[in-house]
Amino acid sequence: MTHQLSVCATSTAPPATFIELRESCRLGVRRLKGGRLEVAKFVLAHPYDVAFASAREVAECSGVSTTTVMRLVSDLGFESYAAFQRLFRAELMRGRQ
């Protein structure tokens, strides 16, 4: 039996856009504690940095371990950090258009 924190309020599918990610984190903020909350704050405040930063770099900037970053990514429903990062790259491309 897995004990996974569900950050997403309405489904287990990962957010498809940055706006959905922001809303998922906002709705799940009461369940986010410690390091996961710090990671969420960082990625929402620095989406363009996250588009090209490794999980390790995000962890360093957030003051947490890489494992904590990966746990948040998984909690949000993403299969990998690369899938999570694609959301930020898509946001960057939208901003450039």
Side-chain angles (χ1 to χ4, degrees):
M1 182 164 102
T2 59
H3 297 285
Q4 183 174 349
L5 169 70
S6 177
V7 177
C8 298
T10 58
S11 73
T12 57
T17 66
F18 183 76
I19 293 168
E20 288 178 14
L21 174 69
R22 187 175 57 215
E23 186 65 10
S24 291
C25 289
R26 186 185 71 77
L27 293 174
V29 75
R30 289 189 182 115
R31 290 174 285 206
L32 288 174
K33 303 288 185 222
R36 291 180 192 175
L37 180 58
E38 294 307 312
V39 175
K41 287 179 187 177
F42 178 80
V43 301
L44 293 175
H46 302 93
Y48 298 134
D49 294 332
V50 176
F52 298 102
S54 67
R56 184 178 56 80
E57 291 168 328
V58 169
E60 288 174 4
C61 291
S62 303
V64 301
S65 69
T66 303
T67 301
T68 300
V69 172
M70 297 309 297
R71 284 181 181 144
L72 178 65
V73 168
S74 177
D75 290 348
L76 288 167
F78 293 94
E79 292 185 12
S80 67
Y81 182 77
F84 176 71
Q85 199 172 41
R86 279 193 291 276
L87 181 142
F88 290 90
R89 290 181 179 177
E91 179 68 17
L92 177 63
M93 293 304 292
R94 271 192 288 281
R96 295 187 78 190
Q97 293 177 350

